[in-house]
Amino acid sequence: MLKLTVMDTNHFKKYIDTAVQEYATEKEAAGTWLKVDALKNAQDAYDRLLPLGLETPHNFFYTILDDTTIVGYVWFGADNENESVAFIFDFEIYAPYQNNGFGSHALDLVTSVAKEKGFTSLGLHVFGSNTRAIHVYEKSGFKITDVKMKKDI
């Protein structure tokens, strides 16, 4: 049975150790940041968003479990532009567990937890090249609210 459990300190440390690097790689691949700046920009972003790490107020970290097996994680918190919106800052179902419905089910669980915490809606960002995630989000009821585009010249 899939469930969310509050992320513990050890899992948070493992998460942070890889998340900053993955974020830098994604932003570089998307063409948003230059390789020379990507890691510093990613670290700066995490430092700004999580000045107190796991203890940063209004941020919620969960491990996604299928019975006792960790299949992913989710981090959401109050959107900095609208505090009634829970913004999913990071969400992943690990590769060996993808295509089993865990993503959609986990998003349902996140929706329930966010609603219990008093949020009125749920937002997120997805890279345009991540068609798999876009499909899962649309299937889960997310609608496009903004589109940022780029053209190489």
Side-chain angles (χ1 to χ4, degrees), residues 31-44:
T32 308
W33 293 339
L34 298 174
K35 182 174 184 147
V36 67
D37 300 322
L39 190 57
K40 181 184 182 322
N41 289 350
Q43 188 63 61
D44 289 349

Side-chain angles (χ1 to χ4, degrees), residues 1 30-31 33 35 47 69 90 93 98 101 112 115 129 141 150:
M1 181 168 123
W33 293 339
K35 182 174 184 147
D47 290 346
T69 302
D90 205 357
I93 300 297
Q98 292 176 1
S112 294
K115 188 173 183 176
S129 62
K150 176 184 152 187

